[in-house]
Each structure stands twice: as C-alpha cells, then as structure tokens.
Amino acid sequence: MANVAVIGAQWGDEGKGKVVDWLASRADVVVRFQGGHNAGHTLVVGNQTYKLSLLPSGLVRGKLGIIGNGVVVDPDALLAEIALVRSQGLTVTPETLRIADNAVLILPLHPAIDKAREAARGDHKIGTTGRGIGPAYEDKVARRAIRVADLAEPETLSAKLDELLLHYNALLQGLGVPTFSKDTLLDGLLKLAPQILPYAEPVWERLDELRRGGKRILFEGAQAVMLDVDHGTYPFVTSSNTVAATAASGSGVGPNAVGFVLGIAKAYTTRVGSGPFPTELHDDIGQLLGDRGNEYGVNTGRRRRCGWFDAAMVRQAIKVGGVQGIALTKLDILDGLTELKICTGYRINGTFSRHLPAAPGAQAAAVPEYETMAGWAESSRGARSWADLPAQAVKYVRRIEELVEAPVTLLSTSPERDDTIMVKDPFEG
Ligand code: IMO
Ligand code: MG
C-alpha cells in the first residue's frame, strides 16, 4: 500500500507541516481530512516561510491538494489563505485544489459563539483558537450545518439560515453579544459562492480514480491524538477525531486505503490552551525550551506551555491513533542540556498508571514518574545521518522507541526541509 497518513502524537504543533512537506515530494496528492483553520503548519523552504492553516501542505510542492469532507471550511479564511500563498508565488487554482462538496462551512456566527462561550467560561476556558471550529462540528452532528454544495442552491441556503439563526440568535442574545441578520449572512454566502464552487466536487470519486491509477496519497492530519474529541484529554480537546482512522471517513475512502500511519512527536512536549499537562515545566528549562524551540502559536501567537517528553502519553497516542512509526522532531532543541527526563507513567492518588485516565480529576492529579538520562554537549542540529548525531542523542532516541513501543521512522533535526534522517521510507509501508 503506497499511501501514508501523518498525524500528531502529542497535543499539536509537532512539526507536521515540515514532515508532510518532505513526504509530499514522494506523493501525488495531499489530503486534509479533519480540523479547519485552527491548524497552523509552518513550512520553511529556502528563505521562504509558508504558514498554512487550511490548505494541504502539498501545494507548496506543486502537488494536488484535496480538502476532504471531514474538514470544516471557513470560506473567508480559505480565500484569504489562497491570496496569501499566491502572493508568495504559489499556484492555487481549481486544477491544483479540490474541496469536498459535502464539507461543512464555518460561518461568521461560529467564531462569534466560540469566543462568546469562551469568555463566559472565564477561568474554566478551554483556550480554543476562537475560529468557530467547535460550533461548526456541533452543527454538522446536529444536522443543521451549511455545506459547500449548498452554495449552489440559494433556496437551500435561505431555509438553512432560518434554522441556524433560530438556534444561534437565541444563544448569542443569552450571552449578551450581537446577533446576526439572515440577509447579511445570505448575501455574504451568495457572494462567496462563485469563488468557492469552482473548487468543489465529490472528492471521494477523484480519490477512487487516483487510487485505481496507482497514485500515492498522503493524508495530512491536523491537531493531534491527545486533542482527539474521543481519545484526548476531554474536554480540553478539539472537536474532531484526529486519529488515523479519520483519514478514511474524513475523505471518503475505506480504512484499507489509509496506508502507513506516521505519528509526529516532538523530542519534548508542548501544549497550547488549557488542560492537563503532567510533564509541564514552570522553571528555567521550560523557558529555555520555549525560547529555543520558538514555541509560539502560528495562528494565535500564544506562548506554548513546554515540558519533558512524556513517553506514557505518546505510547497511548500511538496505540489509539494507530501509529506504526514515529517522526521525531526538534531533537536539536535539547542540545546542551546536561540532564534529560522522560516520563514513563504517572502516580495518581498513590497508584501507578501507565496511561492518562479518562476522568478529568484523575488527569489533573497525575504526577509524572521520570527516568533521567545524561544529555549531550554537541550539536545535533542539521544532522542528516545517524553518524552525525551525538552518541547520547542516539541513546535518547532509542530509549524513546522502547518506551513508546514504536520505531522512529524519521528524525527531523532542523526546520529545514532536507535536515531529515529517513530510517525507512513510509511509502514503502
Ligand atoms: P496543529 O495542526 C495545537 C487546541 C487549542 C485548544 C483546543 C481546542 O497546528 O497541530 P479549537 O479551536 O480546535 O476548538 O481549540 O485545541 N488546538 C491546537 N493546539 N495545535 C493545533 O493544530 C491546534 N488546533 C487546536 O489551542 O486548546
Ligand atoms: Mg500548529
């Protein structure tokens, strides 16, 4: 099976953009299958930096990009991102980008309700990106969402907006924020329609053709397993399933078409937004990881929380996410640290647990149990072979493989595309 799915194995921002970009050179098509413009994928190509949120990363390599039905699409954000990458010299046309006609749209009322609810939560906020992702997925499950294909039917739009506003204006009013008028929303959608519809099609059919033609498909995940709405640290999660199985349902192919599942993990841990983070560091080392790793959200500019590598959490993500090999990123950020810690499990109210439990109280009470290793003084940055790596860095990677119970398939040693060690070609299965 020549296909590959890339998913995050921590809490996001593992460097999926770089790995997908690197793998895209070996693929024919890149497919996004969940999430929306809450994702922030940074690709560094020579002296050009692309920051993509919604567009499949393969576009940078001139590969066909597909936005699957599992993605929630904000049409304004999409058009703005297309304009931005065009200004950076990329070609985005209906020949290079296809969007599932059954994908759900994010409307202006979704970020409004997202932000209003977060504000109302006060100290208990989830720390969402405020981009309307959660409310859009709620509408999909509640069967009231407006989808891409609806843009071609003004009457459908009008009727659906009536139903949506019945729901949302009551909520917005209750939260004390401005409500929306149907005419404004309808006019907006009808203006966007001719700009979006040329990209729309039943992408499942194209994917079927591509598969039958022996083409290589790369499925590009957003967010990460620990942000999965079922398997993550609920309720501090995103509103989609981020596990590899979603690559199938979120694009309209069968589970056997997904191929090799590559999980991306940083050599340490970060998290944006609220929620449990057992290995979080509030000391100088946490500060150093954040500074050196440039740990700021691509979308929000928020400083990411930083901590030691949590092998117990990554092992859990690997099991539930279906990960067969890991791509370990940002190893160079640990260069020069005298001592490194790896979390192997948690002490929770006096009992040892090898996994993060489902109950929020128990998650919050989890105290990491660490294994300590010596660090390395030499630089690992830019290494392109195992021989280029400090011996102690190799030991650290090997220990991670043992603890998470999965092999390292790729190792990334800088943001540069080519600073990558390939242990095994994921497309070879
Ligand atoms: P990439 O693809 C890191 C987090 C938010 C928040 C929670 C819910 O770049 O790895 P949402 O707006 O999705 O309802 O927010 O999920 N979150 C991410 N954290 N990387 C991301 O994407 C994220 N997308 C959402 O910070 O805690
Ligand atoms: Mg990100």
Side-chain angles (χ1 to χ4, degrees):
M1 176 54 63
N3 301 332
V4 173
V6 168
I7 61 170
Q10 292 160 324
W11 279 296
D13 306 317
E14 298 92 350
K16 295 183 286 292
K18 174 190 157 167
V19 173
V20 170
D21 173 49
W22 193 81
L23 288 172
S25 63
R26 296 171 143 74
D28 297 296
V29 47
V30 180
V31 185
R32 276 283 307 266
F33 55 89
Q34 49 71 230
H37 64 313
N38 50 347
H41 296 171
T42 305
L43 288 72
V44 180
V45 183
N47 51 12
Q48 186 78 276
T49 299
Y50 301 96
K51 291 183 186 287
L52 303 180
S53 286
L54 195 51
L55 292 173
S57 295
L59 286 171
V60 174
R61 292 274 188 171
K63 300 296 164 98
L64 175 66
I66 290 183
I67 295 180
N69 57 278
V71 175
V72 284
V73 180
D74 182 322
D76 288 309
L78 177 73
L79 294 172
E81 195 172 317
I82 290 175
L84 178 70
V85 299
R86 274 186 185 150
S87 76
Q88 292 185 284
L90 294 189
T91 309
V92 184
T93 66
E95 276 69 55
T96 61
L97 174 68
R98 309 304 293 156
I99 304 177
D101 54 5
N102 54 348
V104 162
L105 292 180
I106 297 181
L107 308 186
L109 45 76
H110 291 123
I113 196 83
D114 192 352
K115 288 176 199 151
R117 281 199 305 221
E118 281 281 274
R121 285 185 186 116
D123 286 348
H124 301 287
K125 68 175 191 297
I126 293 167
T128 72
T129 59
R131 300 197 159 188
I133 308 295
Y137 278 114
E138 288 167 34
D139 283 354
K140 167 170 161 170
V141 178
R143 296 168 293 197
R144 57 172 175 255
I146 291 178
R147 310 200 299 178
V148 171
D150 299 344
L151 292 172
E153 298 183 357
E155 272 144 48
T156 303
L157 283 179
S158 175
K160 281 194 165 183
L161 282 173
D162 281 331
E163 195 188 333
L164 268 183
L165 287 177
L166 198 66
H167 177 79
Y168 278 104
N169 277 344
L171 277 175
L172 290 165
Q173 224 155 20
L175 288 162
V177 293
T179 56
F180 283 83
S181 107
K182 173 178 157 180
D183 289 345
T184 313
L185 287 174
L186 186 59
D187 284 355
L189 288 173
L190 291 175
K191 274 207 197 82
L192 288 166
Q195 298 175 73
I196 300 292
L197 285 171
Y199 297 99
E201 70 174 15
V203 299
W204 60 268
E205 197 139 54
R206 183 177 295 263
L207 286 169
D208 185 55
E209 265 165 37
L210 288 165
R211 284 191 62 212
R212 282 190 284 117
K215 301 293 185 200
R216 288 173 159 191
I217 306 172
L218 178 59
F219 296 95
E220 176 180 12
Q223 291 81 50
V225 176
M226 282 297 139
L227 289 171
D228 181 283
V229 67
D230 284 285
H231 298 288
T233 45
Y234 192 91
F236 300 100
V237 294
T238 191
S239 294
S240 63
N241 284 111
T242 56
V243 292
T246 316
S249 61
S251 61
V253 301
N256 59 343
V258 172
F260 187 84
V261 180
L262 185 67
I264 319 296
K266 248 188 270 211
Y268 50 100
T269 313
T270 65
R271 170 162 212 175
V272 241
S274 324
F277 182 172
T279 64
E280 183 169 14
L281 291 168
H282 298 283
D283 59 4
D284 291 353
I285 295 179
Q287 188 71 32
L288 179 143
L289 294 175
D291 291 346
R292 265 206 213 158
N294 193 23
E295 297 296 351
Y296 293 91
V298 172
N299 288 322
T300 54
R302 280 184 294 180
R303 170 80 172 199
R304 297 176 189 137
R305 302 153 67 194
C306 297
W308 293 122
F309 187 83
D310 188 342
M313 182 264 265
V314 172
R315 173 179 172 272
Q316 185 170 346
I318 283 171
K319 307 280 179 194
V320 300
V323 171
Q324 292 164 284
I326 56 176
L328 197 67
T329 62
K330 292 185 126 174
L331 185 65
D332 56 302
I333 305 304
L334 303 177
D335 289 354
L337 291 178
T338 43
E339 195 181 80
L340 302 172
K341 290 185 178 180
I342 304 179
C343 169
T344 54
Y346 317 97
R347 177 89 26 206
I348 303 173
N349 303 322
T351 311
F352 181 77
S353 169
R354 207 179 170 189
H355 65 271
L356 266 181
Q363 280 175 13
V367 178
E369 299 251 310
Y370 286 117
E371 200 175 277
T372 303
M373 284 182 80
W376 53 91
E378 313 91 307
S379 168
S380 69
R381 193 171 173 90
R384 293 186 184 182
S385 74
W386 289 97
D388 288 346
L389 286 176
Q392 197 56 31
V394 175
K395 273 194 195 158
Y396 181 72
V397 175
R398 294 297 180 216
R399 187 62 187 138
I400 284 177
E401 286 183 312
E402 279 168 13
L403 288 169
V404 304
E405 297 172 10
V408 167
T409 303
L410 292 177
L411 199 65
S412 155
T413 54
S414 99
E416 276 293 331
R417 189 183 259 181
D418 295 322
D419 291 340
T420 305
I421 302 173
M422 183 168 73
V423 180
K424 183 184 136 176
D425 184 347
F427 279 108
E428 302 301 321

